[in-house]
């Protein structure tokens, strides 16, 4: 790649904005590096989506990066402490993707040159982090993992929307509003199961707020007006839970087969993918001149489906909670 003054300025722009997004300076600790790495992974993933086959572009980019670094990624098992929760990963990589889109507006060359430029930026980060006792093969592996999970979330969210439209709406089983509620409900339901399986107190609303954030932010990115009316009209916490059980039962086999085909078997990651899909479907329902539902109604419906499904997990599957449940959480 030919380095020009313009590219150097763009690289500096990216570095400065990543520092602002992550809230860290050049004297980074290990967990700070992981946060920055996930934002950088989002920048790279967005460059891959410029191509017709982004997954292939990503794989080829990894090969080029390996040649540039002169090493292969470590094949050691990544400790779960080094991996961010899927919601946090999604939030940071989306920040990186937004940054990449802003940089692309000022990039004067083609998408191939942009991809090469981003790989050059990534390589410089990985080499620089060796001074922070992060071997480049370890950093490379963490980067690959973050980028792969980011792309999996994006592709699975879009494909899941298409699948629900084809298999449920297309067969007249569901309306668009049912699709929003079904995806939202399954996101809360699946996350509750994940919490319960790992001995977490699934009934605490603060836990589900992470999945709520994924859905609301995806909806806002897709054009749904932001605001404080997401929880308008929701029932009080001491009211009996009332989940859309029929919708959950209808979508469960669809999601189970879908995630099995994608080999996305982590429960928390599945809930993030469903929450992103719900946010996109919400935009379909509540945006545009011919919106099926006003956003002031559609947003609380989606929120209620997600929250009630999470709160009602014990009623739906009481056998999941055990006094001998493991306290080890490995998302």
């Amino acid at each position: 790649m030919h380095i020009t003054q313009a590219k150097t300025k763009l690289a500096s722009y990216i570095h400065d904005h990543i520092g602002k997004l992550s809230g860290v300076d050049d004297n980074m600790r290990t967990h700070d590096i992981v946060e920055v790495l996930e934002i950088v992974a989002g920048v790279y993933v967005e460059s891959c989506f410029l191509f017709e086959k982004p997954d292939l572009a990503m794989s080829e980019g990894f090969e080029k990066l390996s040649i540039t670094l002169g090493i292969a990624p470590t094949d050691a098992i990544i400790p779960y402490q080094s991996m961010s929760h899927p919601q946090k990963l999604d939030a940071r990589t989306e920040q990186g993707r937004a940054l990449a889109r802003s940089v692309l507006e000022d990039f004067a060359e083609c998408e191939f040159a942009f991809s090469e430029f981003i790989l050059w930026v990534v390589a410089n980060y990985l080499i620089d982090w060796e001074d922070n006792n992060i071997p480049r093969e370890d950093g490379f592996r963490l980067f690959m993992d973050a980028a792969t999970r980011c792309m999996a979330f994006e592709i699975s969210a879009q494909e899941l929307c298409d699948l629900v439209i084809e298999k449920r709406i297309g067969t007249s089983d569901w309306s668009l509003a049912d699709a929003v509620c079904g995806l939202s409900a399954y996101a809360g339901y699946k996350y509750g199961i994940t919490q319960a399986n790992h001995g977490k107190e699934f009934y605490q609303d603060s836990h589900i707020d992470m999945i709520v954030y994924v859905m609301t932010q995806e909806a806002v990115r897709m054009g749904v007006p932001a605001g404080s009316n997401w929880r308008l009209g929701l029932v009080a916490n001491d009211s009996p839970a009332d989940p859309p059980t029929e919708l959950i039962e209808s979508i469960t086999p669809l999601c189970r087969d879908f995630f099995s085909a994608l080999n996305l078997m982590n429960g928390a990651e599945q809930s993030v993918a469903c929450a992103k899909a719900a946010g996109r479907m919400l935009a379909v329902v509540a945006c545009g001149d011919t919106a099926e539902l006003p956003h002031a109604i559609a947003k609380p419906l989606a929120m209620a489906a997600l929250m009630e499904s999470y709160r009602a997990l014990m009623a739906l599957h009481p056998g999941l909670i055990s006094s001998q449940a493991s306290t080890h959480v490995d998302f």
Side-chain angles (χ1 to χ4, degrees):
M1 184 188 73
H2 182 61
I3 304 298
T4 63
Q5 186 176 5
K7 290 179 180 178
T8 303
K9 289 182 178 179
L10 279 179
S12 178
Y13 173 86
I14 291 173
H15 178 71
D16 291 343
H17 277 69
I18 287 177
K20 293 176 182 178
L21 290 171
S22 61
V24 299
D25 54 24
D26 291 333
N27 298 318
M28 294 187 290
R29 295 164 293 180
T30 301
H31 74 273
D32 295 329
I33 289 177
V34 172
E35 293 182 15
V36 172
L37 183 145
E38 289 170 353
I39 298 175
V40 174
V43 175
Y44 172 63
V45 168
E46 187 64 24
S47 73
C48 294
F49 278 113
L50 297 174
F51 300 95
E52 184 177 352
K53 296 181 178 180
D55 53 340
L56 182 59
M58 172 177 284
S59 298
E60 292 179 349
F62 289 154
E63 293 177 2
K64 293 178 182 178
L65 193 56
S66 179
I67 294 173
T68 301
L69 295 173
I71 50 92
T74 180
D75 57 0
I77 297 176
I78 300 177
Y80 76 91
Q81 297 94 333
S82 301
M83 301 173 65
S84 295
H85 186 280
Q87 178 272 327
K88 294 181 180 179
L89 174 73
D90 178 69
R92 291 170 187 150
T93 52
E94 286 293 345
Q95 288 177 328
R97 294 184 63 192
L99 176 58
R101 289 191 289 270
S102 68
V103 171
L104 187 59
E105 295 176 358
D106 298 324
F107 197 81
E109 301 180 35
C110 67
E111 60 269 20
F112 294 97
F114 183 72
S115 179
E116 293 287 338
F117 167 69
I118 296 301
L119 285 172
W120 173 72
V121 172
V122 172
N124 278 276
Y125 269 111
L126 295 177
I127 293 171
D128 181 65
W129 287 335
E130 287 187 304
D131 293 335
N132 296 81
N133 296 319
I134 304 293
R136 67 176 68 180
E137 58 268 22
D138 291 349
F140 188 13
R141 171 66 186 278
L142 288 170
F143 169 77
M144 288 179 61
D145 179 76
T148 302
R149 293 168 74 196
C150 172
M151 181 166 286
F153 291 156
E154 175 66 22
I155 292 177
S156 61
Q158 186 58 50
E159 293 294 329
L160 192 54
C161 285
D162 294 341
L163 188 63
V164 168
I165 291 173
E166 177 185 353
K167 299 294 185 180
R168 291 295 180 265
I169 298 176
T171 57
S172 300
D173 292 338
W174 283 8
S175 64
L176 280 172
D178 288 334
V180 173
C181 291
L183 287 167
S184 303
Y186 190 79
Y189 166 76
K190 190 64 181 181
Y191 190 64
I193 287 180
T194 303
Q195 295 283 86
N197 284 342
H198 293 288
K200 299 289 285 186
E201 295 177 331
F202 67 90
Y203 50 82
Q204 292 185 0
D205 288 347
S206 60
H207 292 157
I208 195 61
D209 281 346
M210 293 191 292
I211 303 303
V212 168
Y213 180 84
V214 173
M215 181 183 71
T216 56
Q217 291 304 299
E218 188 70 16
V220 170
R221 279 192 292 268
M222 295 293 114
V224 175
S228 59
N229 57 348
W230 285 92
R231 298 176 185 266
L232 182 66
L234 295 189
V235 299
N237 287 337
D238 57 352
S239 300
D242 185 23
T245 307
E246 292 184 2
L247 295 179
I248 295 174
E249 291 176 346
S250 177
I251 200 174
T252 294
L254 204 65
C255 289
R256 183 176 57 243
D257 294 343
F258 174 76
F259 288 123
S260 178
L262 285 182
N263 197 29
L264 191 67
M265 304 309 294
N266 181 290
E269 292 181 350
Q270 290 182 14
S271 64
V272 167
C274 284
K276 287 176 73 71
R280 295 186 179 197
M281 195 64 72
L282 179 58
V284 173
V285 171
C287 293
D289 297 332
T290 58
E292 182 166 306
L293 285 175
H295 66 84
I297 296 176
K299 292 194 295 186
L301 277 178
M303 181 69 73
L306 194 155
M307 297 291 292
E308 292 299 290
S309 300
Y310 182 74
R311 291 177 58 225
L313 179 63
M314 182 174 289
L316 289 171
H317 293 277
L320 285 177
I321 306 302
S322 169
S323 59
Q324 298 179 351
S326 171
T327 57
H328 170 70
V329 181
D330 185 4
F331 290 138

